[in-house]
Amino acid sequence: MELNKIIETSNNNITITDENGIIQRSHPGHWSIYGMEPGSYIGKSVYELEKEGLLSPSINAIVLKEKKPVRIMQHTKTGHVVMSTGYPIFDKEGRLVRVVSYSQDQTEIWKLKEEYEQLQRKLKGYQTEVEDLREKEFGFQSILARSNTMQQIIKTINNVAKTDATILFLGPSGVGKSTLARAIHNQSNRSKEPFIEVNCSTIPESLFESEMFGYETGAFTGANKKGKQGLIEQADSGTLFLDEIGELSLALQAKLLKVLQEKKMVRIGGNKELLLDFRLITATNQDLEDMVKKGKFRLDLFYRLNVVPIQIPSLSDRNDDIPILIQHYVEKINEKYQTLKKFHPSTYELLMHYEWPGNIRELENLIERLILTTEAPMIYPSHLPPAIRGNFEQTEDHHDLISKEEVEGKLNLKNTLEEVEKQLIEKAYKRCQTTYQMAEYLGISQPSVIYKLKKYKDQFDH
């Protein structure tokens, strides 16, 4: 009577089985969360209940098998989440004669945990938005593009941003595919949800599955004791951006394809299917169609990704974008390091004639390096790497920015500066279509451009 009273009044749901797994005693109200009537469990075998799916799995059965204390999480048919801990009881001869298990309904706590994780994901999304605003890279309006090619690309992605269409960015490394992917997310209906970026080439294949799909507690040796949420799961409700998708092995491609087709997944070591809802954007610098022909990329995955393919040209194929990109990164990096470095007009000219094999990434890195390593407030052509100076010297349409007085050996500062200014205004006039574009090209105000045009236009070479 005392033992039954202890079981009935305990905050834990206590269940006692014998050495064969037959239930001897248990809390009367315990079994309702498993979908069983009170009293119907006495004399039942936990193995039978496990086969019927009522115990998934049975903590007492596990303890009987392993003969040591065990703790597990159970998911019941009635939608409850139960944390169960079982202990073996041995007689004086060391034989296992009883198993006592304690269970607690964790459903509400589990829901709070999921809500907390969702809040964490949203917080991460908000932090990303703040960073984007601080870097002035929020939306298509701030994507720096003057070339007709990039203007057309911006129109295309603007048309699909509000949809959930899968987008595949194609193009060489460093052309800004990740920036465009983030801009699409920021303009989409999912902008308040997470933007999860994954570079498929930087995660070792042995870790890729656990990083992408996550794992449950104790899924493998060395795993986090609390389990881990995978990157795909973190993107739920938001956008998943897979960069360098062409680097995935065929085995990983197959696993990714299954998730994309079914929009659900199971963590490693788990048995609970997670329903997913995310927008997919991918990018690669490889020719996926050629990889399909060579058997290095799955055809079905290619069709799944190739819904809206967008080819991003290299920087050398859109020269009109180079001046405004240079100006943008000079301002951005000066602000970042609290400096006031300026680029001499001749330096601008050299940079605008360079081929930029590393594209926008190379341009940004070079400007940052020049601003950090140049002691003088003005950055001259002599500060540039030899490869850039050499490339410029072979450019046929280049004219040295020097005055006639300097050529004749009669150097006069005022006249030399005016001659340099006139040549730069003339070059801007020939390159740009409007006075606003000239102002952006030269880094001065539009009224100043109008004034200088009136001053020098009649002196231009025709």
Side-chain angles (χ1 to χ4, degrees):
M1 183 182 67
E2 289 177 347
L3 180 58
N4 286 335
K5 204 63 180 176
I6 290 171
I7 293 172
E8 289 174 10
T9 57
S10 172
N11 289 329
N12 291 291
N13 295 316
I14 303 173
T15 298
I16 302 174
T17 57
D18 64 14
E19 69 276 14
N20 297 313
I22 304 300
I23 298 172
Q24 305 294 309
R25 288 183 172 84
S26 188
H27 192 293
H30 170 50
W31 293 87
S32 60
I33 62 174
Y34 294 98
M36 295 183 65
E37 295 294 328
S40 62
Y41 48 83
I42 297 298
K44 290 275 188 178
S45 166
V46 292
Y47 298 108
E48 291 178 10
L49 297 176
E50 196 173 40
K51 285 180 182 179
E52 294 173 10
L54 293 170
L55 298 179
S56 181
S58 165
I59 181 67
N60 293 63
I62 295 174
V63 174
L64 286 168
K65 179 181 178 181
E66 299 188 8
K67 296 180 172 56
K68 63 179 182 180
V70 176
R71 174 175 290 177
I72 62 170
M73 297 299 292
Q74 296 173 314
H75 295 271
T76 74
K77 280 186 172 182
T78 57
H80 288 259
V81 179
V82 181
M83 183 178 71
S84 296
T85 307
Y87 298 91
I89 298 176
F90 301 94
D91 62 13
K92 292 180 180 179
E93 284 74 34
R95 293 174 299 187
L96 196 157
V97 293
R98 292 286 187 275
V99 172
V100 178
S101 63
Y102 303 86
S103 300
Q104 286 185 330
D105 189 349
Q106 300 281 301
T107 306
E108 291 303 318
I109 296 175
W110 193 263
K111 286 180 180 177
L112 288 172
K113 177 176 176 292
E114 289 182 339
E115 289 175 4
Y116 173 76
E117 290 178 350
Q118 187 176 7
L119 287 172
Q120 287 291 92
R121 293 202 309 272
K122 286 185 177 181
L123 177 60
K124 188 174 182 180
Y126 296 148
Q127 290 172 339
T128 300
E129 288 181 18
V130 171
E131 290 172 4
D132 290 342
L133 287 168
R134 186 170 60 243
E135 295 179 4
K136 300 179 182 178
E137 293 180 352
F138 190 86
F140 302 134
Q141 293 79 8
S142 61
I143 294 177
L144 301 173
R146 177 191 292 164
S147 64
N148 292 332
T149 305
M150 284 304 297
Q151 290 291 342
Q152 189 57 49
I153 288 173
I154 291 172
K155 288 180 182 178
T156 301
I157 59 180
N158 191 36
N159 290 336
V160 299
K162 296 293 185 182
T163 72
D164 272 346
T166 298
I167 296 174
L168 171 61
F169 284 117
L170 303 164
S173 296
V175 292
K177 297 189 287 290
S178 61
T179 299
L180 291 172
R182 186 177 289 277
I184 289 174
H185 171 75
N186 289 338
Q187 292 297 305
S188 73
N189 297 325
R190 300 173 181 265
S191 60
K192 305 239 180 252
E193 301 299 333
F195 175 84
I196 304 299
E197 181 174 350
V198 182
N199 190 321
C200 300
S201 65
T202 60
I203 303 177
E205 186 170 350
S206 58
L207 299 177
F208 192 86
E209 192 172 355
S210 62
E211 290 294 316
M212 292 297 289
F213 296 95
Y215 53 82
E216 296 291 356
T217 305
F220 50 86
T221 303
N224 190 310
K225 292 182 179 180
K226 298 181 181 179
K228 182 179 179 180
Q229 190 180 48
L231 294 170
I232 296 178
E233 192 178 342
Q234 290 178 33
D236 189 31
S237 300
T239 301
L240 177 65
F241 174 50
L242 300 179
D243 199 5
E244 305 296 351
I245 190 74
E247 299 294 331
L248 290 182
S249 67
L250 289 170
L252 293 175
Q253 290 175 32
K255 292 178 180 179
L256 176 62
L257 177 63
K258 185 177 180 183
V259 175
L260 298 182
Q261 287 175 332
E262 300 177 0
K263 283 297 177 77
K264 58 186 179 181
M265 53 159 274
V266 178
R267 289 184 182 179
I268 298 174
N271 52 26
K272 180 184 177 183
E273 278 193 337
L274 303 172
L275 297 178
L276 302 170
D277 173 31
F278 58 84
R279 203 272 182 78
L280 179 68
I281 302 176
T282 58
T284 182
N285 59 7
Q286 302 191 44
D287 186 340
L288 293 187
E289 290 190 67
D290 185 58
M291 291 181 67
V292 169
K293 291 176 183 177
K294 293 178 180 179
K296 296 180 179 180
F297 202 86
R298 292 179 63 102
L299 180 62
D300 45 6
L301 179 57
F302 173 71
Y303 284 136
R304 178 70 62 173
L305 304 180
N306 197 45
V307 179
V308 181
I310 299 176
Q311 183 76 41
I312 310 298
S314 62
L315 192 54
S316 60
D317 291 330
R318 43 185 173 116
N319 290 330
D320 289 346
D321 294 338
I322 295 176
I324 56 174
L325 286 168
I326 293 173
Q327 185 64 31
H328 168 71
Y329 286 117
V330 169
E331 293 175 359
K332 176 182 175 181
I333 294 166
N334 266 325
E335 183 179 352
K336 179 180 179 180
Y337 294 110
Q338 298 296 299
T339 55
L340 295 172
K341 301 292 177 66
K342 293 182 179 180
F343 280 51
H344 189 270
S346 298
T347 309
Y348 266 99
E349 192 72 14
L350 283 162
L351 295 176
M352 286 187 287
H353 283 82
Y354 182 53
E355 291 296 323
W356 299 110
N359 296 295
I360 298 174
R361 187 179 297 128
E362 181 187 6
L363 185 150
E364 181 181 6
N365 290 343
L366 174 66
I367 291 175
E368 184 168 15
R369 183 166 73 249
L370 289 171
I371 287 176
L372 288 176
T373 60
T374 304
E375 294 182 2
M378 181 71 72
I379 297 173
Y380 292 96
S382 59
H383 295 122
L384 296 173
I388 298 180
R389 296 200 304 269
N391 179 279
F392 178 74
E393 290 169 358
Q394 296 172 7
T395 303
E396 295 179 359
D397 63 349
H398 169 60
H399 301 284
D400 291 332
L401 299 175
I402 57 176
S403 69
K404 294 176 182 177
E405 287 83 356
E406 187 177 359
V407 172
E408 296 170 358
K410 301 174 183 177
L411 187 61
N412 177 280
L413 180 60
K414 181 176 181 297
N415 293 340
T416 299
L417 289 175
E418 285 189 356
E419 182 63 25
V420 170
E421 184 178 68
K422 187 199 82 171
Q423 291 183 28
L424 286 172
I425 294 293
E426 183 177 3
K427 287 188 178 187
Y429 180 73
K430 291 177 179 179
R431 284 175 177 267
C432 304
Q433 297 177 348
T434 68
T435 54
Y436 289 100
Q437 290 181 355
M438 288 180 66
E440 193 169 22
Y441 178 84
L442 295 167
I444 60 177
S445 67
Q446 192 253 358
S448 295
V449 169
I450 295 174
Y451 169 77
K452 294 179 188 299
L453 274 175
K454 289 179 180 178
K455 180 179 178 182
Y456 297 117
K457 190 173 180 182
D458 293 338
Q459 304 176 38
F460 290 171
D461 296 328
H462 297 287

